[in-house]
Amino acid sequence: MIDPTAPHAAPARSDPADDEGERALRALFDPRRFASQGSATLELLASHLGAAASRALEPVMPREGPAALCEAFPARFPARGDGDVVAVMARALTASTSLHAPGFVGHQVATPLPDAALCELVAALANNGMAIFEMGPAASAMERAVLQWLSSRVGLPPTSGGVLTSGGSLGNLTALLAARQAKAGADVWRRGLRNGPQLVVFVAETAHYSVARAARILGLGDAGVVAVDVDAELRMKPDALAAAVAAARRRKHHPICAVASAGSTAAGALDPLEPIADVCAREGLWLHVDGAHGASLALSEKHRARLRGIERADSIVWDAHKLMLMPALVTAVLFRDAGAGAAAFAQEAGYLFDPRGDDDGDAWSDVGKRTVECTKRMMSLKLYACLQAHGTQLFADHVDACLARAQALASLVRARPRLELLVEPECNIVVFRVRGATNGKNAAIRKRVVADGRYYLVQVHRPEGLWLRTTLMNPLTTEGDLRGLLEEVEAAAVALDA
Ligand SMILES: *Cc1c(COP(=O)(O)O)cnc(C)c1O
């Protein structure tokens, strides 16, 4: 039967692109046009970097608030534009927080290597979608290579495997999914959670919120996430973990996984991985190490030992867009047993993955089998290319420098009696405040410093109150900047008293 809604074959039109709109579109693919827009874009970015270096980029965070920016970037678009995409990007850059300003010491987001940004451009233009090998041959091979290298850095065995994904939050979800599949005692992927015991994940209260969120996404609910006590240095107490597991078993709950943070979010505390791994081994729990921030310490000769025990993890999350200088996002999810990672997603998708294929489920080449994502960016390119082009020592040295900068800032804080540290920094996050000032006042101090424009720092709420928080991972920040920051903080405290 003929479907009357089906499009007919076009009558006598030789080329469907032979109309004005399509011709204009094709002109945008002209290599010469691309080259000229491209050099204008590079000029724009180069002058942005130059302005950062000469401190002309201030304020680090633009002063315009949400309302002003909605006006600057209205939801009105012309039917036909002037083609000047560089002008729009220039306005966006000006109104963006500048991570290359030496005074950027805020959130845990890398000041990206400019070379890595160039890789992003190539990844975007090539746009290989990665789900299957055929849609990302080079990207899949480079992904495998960086994963193998990262695995070996943290001491996982050659049977390990993994996947790159878009961020630590998605990485934690991916790892917990594998943990659930391995430890639930039933095929939860197929049967769902119905009628099964309450599954429980244990995590220190200082962990990143994405861990608790992932557990809830997995259907574990309120009772499925148990907060484990931390010590005075904000590190998970292994004894408290063991006690919490015992308490859960008494309630007839079913413990599946402990999540240790290697570099917890608030203050960068390193949970003691060795004794936590002992508890997990004794109790038959999956050990997930959330090393989104701190797994990079494994790159450093000097600091690697502080991750001792990470090699016993069943899964590890490691963000290269934190301490490895990469633009967001590129996260490695590493599995001690490559098969366990593949088992997390026992899905068939006949149109993508060949069910009769010769792979046995943990074959590396179709990465879409092992991620929440289907299409994803060629995120391996930037990391692979920078490791090849600049060598591994650059990254090791950067980790050392970041940790040294944190120690320098901590010493400067200690030398100023009006300031106090939350804890001695274990990695490159330094949390401090003006002693004796209320939470409101410390918040006002931060606001004032940020509004002054030379620095961008953040704040963190702890049971002990509100603290000012800095992450030292910007290679352009000098010790003079750190001194200047503390001077501004103290000056703001005085000004607010006046
Ligand atoms: C940053 C961070 C996350 C979240 O990672 P995203 O890449 O921002 O999604 C999770 N856990 C820890 C410990 C982190 O530092």
Side-chain angles (χ1 to χ4, degrees):
M1 206 177 120
I2 294 170
D3 175 2
T5 62
H8 325 271
R13 227 179 75 183
S14 56
D15 182 353
D18 196 24
D19 85 5
E20 205 184 320
E22 203 66 2
R23 271 202 304 277
L25 175 58
R26 279 184 169 181
L28 299 183
F29 288 78
D30 178 79
R32 281 157 313 190
R33 181 186 189 278
F34 179 67
S36 81
Q37 293 289 302
S39 32
T41 304
L42 291 186
E43 285 298 325
L44 170 70
L45 291 172
S47 71
H48 178 78
L49 285 179
S54 63
R55 291 178 166 64
L57 266 190
E58 288 151 11
V60 178
M61 184 188 83
R63 296 201 178 88
E64 295 76 18
L69 285 176
C70 286
E71 263 178 52
F73 297 96
R76 287 187 307 275
F77 304 97
R80 292 189 200 287
D82 62 6
D84 193 355
V85 75
V86 180
V88 184
M89 292 195 292
R91 287 200 292 120
L93 203 51
T94 308
S96 296
T97 298
S98 171
L99 276 61
H100 292 89
F104 176 85
V105 289
H107 286 290
Q108 301 152 270
V109 180
T111 298
L113 267 183
D115 280 358
L118 295 177
C119 295
E120 289 283 58
L121 180 59
V122 173
L125 195 87
N127 203 28
N128 276 207
M130 296 284 310
I132 55 170
F133 181 77
E134 293 176 6
M135 276 304 287
S140 302
M142 288 185 290
E143 174 161 332
R144 178 174 160 85
V146 296
L147 288 165
Q148 281 181 344
W149 185 74
L150 293 170
S151 280
S152 71
R153 296 303 89 189
V154 286
L156 289 180
T159 49
S160 65
V163 72
L164 294 181
T165 195
S166 295
S169 304
L170 207 51
N172 281 330
L173 176 65
T174 307
L176 289 191
L177 196 51
R180 189 184 69 174
Q181 194 62 7
K183 297 290 183 181
D187 186 354
V188 176
W189 182 267
R190 294 206 162 69
R191 293 212 345 237
L193 287 170
R194 259 177 320 132
N195 305 328
Q198 170 71 54
L199 306 179
V200 187
V201 170
F202 301 85
V203 59
E205 44 115 350
T206 46
H208 192 264
Y209 72 87
S210 61
V211 174
R213 183 179 279 188
R216 281 152 205 277
I217 292 171
L218 294 180
L220 273 49
D222 277 342
V225 188
V226 169
V228 180
D229 284 348
V230 295
D231 64 17
E233 267 68 51
L234 306 182
R235 296 179 293 223
M236 183 193 279
K237 289 192 203 159
D239 293 350
L241 171 63
V245 172
R249 291 208 200 282
R250 280 197 299 276
R251 285 195 296 274
K252 301 275 185 278
H253 290 179
H254 183 80
I256 55 171
C257 173
V259 180
S261 301
S264 68
T265 306
L270 301 168
D271 288 341
L273 302 179
E274 195 82 79
I276 291 172
D278 289 340
V279 175
C280 289
R282 222 164 39 234
E283 298 287 346
L285 301 189
W286 181 281
L287 171 58
H288 174 58
V289 175
D290 180 359
H293 185 87
S296 293
L297 267 59
L299 302 177
S300 155
E301 287 292 337
K302 202 161 151 196
H303 299 292
R304 172 179 307 151
R306 298 158 72 185
L307 296 179
R308 193 172 298 124
I310 196 169
E311 70 285 352
R312 294 172 64 188
D314 293 293
S315 56
I316 299 168
V317 155
W318 182 345
D319 279 355
H321 54 274
K322 297 226 170 123
L323 272 166
M324 287 190 76
L325 296 158
M326 291 295 115
L329 296 159
V330 50
T331 295
V333 190
L334 306 173
F335 291 102
R336 142 172 247 90
D337 166 13
F345 302 95
Q347 200 141 33
E348 284 172 32
Y351 57 92
L352 268 185
F353 312 122
D354 180 359
R356 294 156 292 114
D358 51 6
D359 71 63
D360 51 8
D362 65 351
W364 62 273
S365 56
D366 290 341
V367 300
K369 284 183 176 171
R370 289 172 281 123
T371 50
V372 176
E373 292 156 289
C374 177
T375 305
K376 77 174 184 190
R377 278 185 74 97
M378 297 169 67
M379 56 180 78
S380 57
L381 172 61
K382 55 195 168 188
L383 187 52
Y384 186 89
C386 290
L387 280 165
Q388 280 293 356
H390 300 299
T392 58
Q393 194 60 40
L394 179 95
F395 297 91
D397 291 345
H398 177 56
V399 169
D400 287 347
C402 291
L403 269 65
R405 234 175 250 123
Q407 287 305 324
L409 179 58
S411 311
L412 291 171
V413 169
R414 260 185 256 110
R416 288 171 181 259
R418 297 198 51 180
L419 304 179
E420 61 179 333
L421 287 170
L422 172 62
V423 288
E424 287 302 318
E426 284 196 270
C427 54
N428 61 323
I429 299 176
V430 181
V431 183
F432 65 98
R433 68 180 173 191
V434 174
R435 205 186 280 279
T438 61
N439 293 343
K441 184 163 170 197
N442 271 299
I445 289 168
R446 179 187 97 91
K447 245 187 164 153
R448 194 174 175 114
V449 171
V450 171
D452 276 352
R454 283 179 62 78
Y455 295 96
Y456 177 74
L457 74 170
V458 297
Q459 62 191 32
V460 59
H461 294 272
R462 293 281 318 147
E464 314 83 358
L466 182 143
W467 295 77
L468 306 178
R469 178 170 175 274
T470 57
T471 307
L472 289 309
M473 55 207 280
N474 179 348
L476 307 173
T477 303
T478 64
E479 185 151 348
D481 295 313
L482 302 180
R483 235 176 263 285
L485 168 66
L486 298 186
E487 275 158 25
E488 283 212 14
V489 165
E490 289 200 338
V494 171
L496 286 165
D497 281 338

